[in-house]
Amino acid sequence: MQKKVRNFMEEYHMVEREDTILAAVSGGADSLCLLMLLHALCEGMGFTLRAVHVEHGIRGEASLRDARFVEEICAKYQIPCRIYHCRALEYAREKKLSVEEAARKLRYQFFQKAADEFGAQKIAVAHNQNDCAETMLFHLARGSGLKGLCGILPVRGQIIRPLLCLERGEIEAYLKQSGQQFCTDETNGQLMYTRNKIRHQVLPLLAQVNGNAVSHMNQAANVVAEAAELIEGLRNSAMGKYVCVSGEGVCISQELLEEPPLIVREALRHVLAETAGSSKDISRVHVQQLKDLFARQNGKAAELPYGMRAQRTYGGILLRKGNAQELRNAATADAEGKADTEAASDAAQPVNLTLPIEGSLVIPSCGYEISTRLLEKIPQNEEIPKKIYTKWFDYDKIKGTTRLKTRQEQDYLIINAEGSRKKIKKYFIDEKIPAHRRDDILLLADDTHVLWVIGYRISEDVKVTEHTKRILEIRVNGGRECE
């Protein structure tokens, strides 16, 4: 048993020589086995052992008796120990948590406190292979992603789990062979707790199907963990392309759906968890709810856990978290039916600058540097630029002064050779440009109309043709979107 645990600890690099390990000891079979094995291994592996026990104040005298038992065991093995007392029921009511979750949070708070006092680099907890299998089934039943199917990891930051190479039966056999008594928590048999149902009802049935069910589930968890690490890299790459954070919230591009379905789901799950500030209670149902929103009309919304609200926008989804009424108000302000004058109230400072011919102009508020040159004739062997931010214009068709500006109600483009007009507002809607971006887009205009929606199209009537004599070339550099 000692050799098996030592090999497992070395395989996962759980400890370095001269480390101090803090063992979390409840007094139950698992934690007592952990304490005894670490005590047997500490000299050979070169680490120092310390212990901690947290008494939750839930089970009255039985709970205090467990604390005294741990104190006596640590004294027997001459292991320095810290005993902490807390009131988990009161904490649960105060924080609006389940008693299980409250007790867990308090435990790990005291584990960290003891680690700081002892100067411990690692905190050892007594999870075993049965715990890992129970966790996998628990997450699977609730609707889990890959992370949940990884079960319990051998190492997570400062936390190490040396007994994850053992099944519970091996632990109990080891204690029986050693003649060591241990505490029994009567709540472990109460079927009101979900994990106890899995432990006492589900796993025994699986063992009847295959006696190695727990071991096989742990092997599967290891494979899933490796796959999850690979997929996490692909997910992060996709999020870098299609997810961005703005002042309005988290913008998720429609183009994310071009990725493989698994990457899409993992990206959406991660976005939800990051926005919520917790992955707890974020299930496959919520991921699918967010994904389904891509297929709905612009302006449609979905309410999600943790006060999150997702709204369909042009080109994707805007995800926000906050007071429900505030989010609805914000959604109303973004709706397409709202008048431009109202939308402009939160817009960036308007721009209206004269553009010099053959010169340059810097616009710090946009991060643009715009340069122009006048070509008296079409350069030989040179094609009309196809770049988004470099354009040629028939200079002799421009009426009056060229200006750089942000949109106004009367602005329009010429959209065909017949001289048909399209209002800039309608153009933005047709191009599915999000409402919150429209006041930031610069327009090149003369004294009559818009010549160029920068980053998009130019007006039909100023395009260069075979009849053009002089060309105005305009090149835009800098900004967030320029090539």
Side-chain angles (χ1 to χ4, degrees):
M1 180 80 79
Q2 291 179 21
K3 183 178 180 180
K4 185 175 183 179
V5 171
R6 176 170 182 160
N7 289 343
F8 185 71
M9 292 177 69
E10 290 175 344
E11 178 184 357
Y12 286 95
H13 309 288
M14 291 188 182
V15 64
E16 302 290 339
R17 297 193 74 84
E18 300 185 4
D19 273 355
T20 295
I21 294 182
L22 177 70
V25 186
S26 68
D30 299 342
S31 67
L32 205 56
C33 177
L34 174 70
L35 185 72
M36 294 172 64
L37 286 171
L38 290 178
H39 180 261
L41 293 171
C42 64
E43 184 176 350
M45 297 183 72
F47 62 83
T48 300
L49 182 62
R50 299 289 184 264
V52 59
H53 174 84
V54 180
E55 190 270 310
H56 299 102
I58 296 176
R59 297 181 295 116
E61 177 56 34
S63 184
L64 294 171
R65 186 170 59 247
D66 290 352
R68 290 194 295 269
F69 174 78
V70 171
E71 197 169 24
E72 291 168 2
I73 288 291
C74 288
K76 173 184 174 181
Y77 288 102
Q78 297 183 327
I79 301 170
C81 178
R82 292 282 190 275
I83 306 289
Y84 297 104
H85 300 271
C86 61
R87 295 292 174 262
L89 290 173
E90 295 176 12
Y91 184 80
R93 285 193 292 268
E94 178 188 341
K95 300 296 183 180
K96 297 181 180 179
L97 300 171
S98 68
V99 176
E100 287 178 289
E101 183 66 15
R104 181 185 178 280
K105 283 182 176 290
L106 287 170
R107 271 200 308 277
Y108 278 89
Q109 288 174 15
F110 284 115
F111 291 170
Q112 189 59 60
K113 181 178 180 181
D116 293 341
E117 291 178 0
F118 283 126
Q121 290 79 27
K122 305 291 172 57
I123 300 171
V125 294
H127 293 117
N128 56 60
Q129 289 193 348
N130 289 64
D131 293 315
C132 181
E134 291 165 13
T135 299
M136 289 179 70
L137 291 172
F138 179 74
H139 289 160
L140 186 63
R142 293 185 66 196
S144 173
L146 286 174
K147 284 292 185 183
L149 297 183
C150 294
I152 301 173
L153 299 177
V155 177
R156 181 177 58 82
Q158 195 178 8
I159 305 296
I160 60 173
R161 298 180 171 94
L163 301 192
L164 270 183
C165 59
L166 304 177
E167 291 191 34
R168 186 166 287 123
E170 295 177 273
I171 291 170
E172 292 173 351
Y174 175 78
L175 292 176
K176 183 177 181 180
Q177 184 180 1
S178 302
Q180 178 61 59
Q181 298 296 313
F182 53 86
C183 301
T184 301
D185 184 345
E186 62 272 15
T187 63
N188 287 339
Q190 295 176 1
L191 297 182
M192 69 179 70
Y193 298 113
T194 304
R195 284 185 177 273
N196 288 349
K197 291 179 182 178
I198 295 172
R199 177 176 301 176
H200 298 298
Q201 295 181 331
V202 179
L203 280 181
L205 288 176
L206 289 176
Q208 292 178 28
V209 175
N210 188 304
N212 295 319
V214 168
S215 176
H216 291 165
M217 290 174 71
N218 276 262
Q219 292 170 14
N222 291 334
V223 173
V224 173
E226 293 174 354
E229 185 176 356
L230 175 62
I231 290 168
E232 183 177 337
L234 297 174
R235 178 204 72 196
N236 290 343
S237 177
M239 288 181 63
K241 295 177 186 176
Y242 307 122
V243 178
C244 68
V245 179
S246 69
E248 291 82 10
V250 181
C251 302
I252 310 170
S253 171
Q254 177 96 24
E255 295 177 0
L256 174 63
L257 299 184
E258 297 175 7
E259 295 288 325
L262 176 59
I263 302 302
V264 174
R265 290 195 300 272
E266 289 301 310
L268 294 179
R269 182 185 300 277
H270 191 72
V271 168
L272 284 171
E274 287 291 303
T275 304
S278 173
S279 59
K280 186 176 182 291
D281 298 325
I282 300 295
S283 70
R284 191 181 185 93
V285 171
H286 305 120
V287 173
Q288 189 62 45
Q289 194 176 359
L290 189 59
K291 185 180 178 184
D292 289 344
L293 195 56
F294 280 107
R296 300 181 67 187
Q297 293 179 333
N298 182 55
K300 295 294 184 180
E303 305 293 340
L304 295 159
Y306 296 94
M308 292 186 292
R309 192 172 197 268
Q311 183 179 4
R312 184 70 165 94
T313 63
Y314 283 135
I317 288 172
L318 179 63
L319 179 65
R320 290 180 277 197
K321 179 184 177 183
N323 177 274
Q325 188 56 49
E326 290 176 356
L327 290 179
R328 289 189 181 91
N329 291 343
T332 301
D334 287 342
E336 277 307 319
K338 193 165 184 67
D340 281 359
T341 53
E342 294 177 13
S345 63
D346 295 324
Q349 189 69 25
V351 174
N352 193 344
L353 300 169
T354 300
L355 181 66
I357 305 303
E358 293 195 304
S360 63
L361 176 67
V362 176
I363 309 177
S365 62
C366 302
Y368 287 138
E369 180 180 356
I370 302 173
S371 57
T372 64
R373 64 171 179 158
L374 186 60
L375 308 176
E376 294 292 341
K377 59 180 179 179
I378 299 178
Q380 291 185 350
N381 302 321
E382 189 170 341
E383 294 183 355
I384 297 175
K386 294 183 174 60
K387 293 183 178 180
I388 297 175
Y389 290 93
T390 300
K391 295 297 181 186
W392 280 2
F393 301 86
D394 189 323
Y395 181 65
D396 295 301
K397 293 180 181 177
I398 295 173
K399 306 296 190 293
T401 305
T402 53
R403 293 174 296 119
L404 289 164
K405 60 190 287 294
T406 45
R407 64 173 177 155
Q408 292 179 311
E409 177 64 26
Q410 70 274 15
D411 290 331
Y412 67 89
L413 280 164
I414 302 296
I415 59 170
N416 56 36
E418 288 71 38
S420 301
R421 300 179 178 185
K422 178 178 282 192
K423 296 285 288 287
I424 288 297
K425 175 182 177 180
K426 180 69 163 57
Y427 175 76
F428 282 162
I429 292 173
D430 290 347
E431 289 296 310
K432 295 180 170 51
I433 297 171
H436 67 274
R437 289 191 52 219
R438 296 173 191 173
D439 288 313
D440 295 327
I441 296 176
L442 281 185
L443 309 175
L444 175 71
D446 63 10
D447 290 345
T448 60
H449 66 299
V450 173
L451 307 177
W452 181 20
V453 180
I454 294 179
Y456 297 88
R457 69 164 294 171
I458 68 173
S459 194
E460 192 73 23
D461 62 325
V462 292
K463 286 185 175 180
V464 171
T465 69
E466 66 273 16
H467 304 297
T468 298
K469 296 178 180 178
R470 293 187 294 176
I471 294 173
L472 176 63
E473 180 186 85
I474 302 179
R475 184 187 302 273
V476 180
N477 297 304
R480 290 175 296 177
E481 299 177 349
C482 294
E483 298 176 325

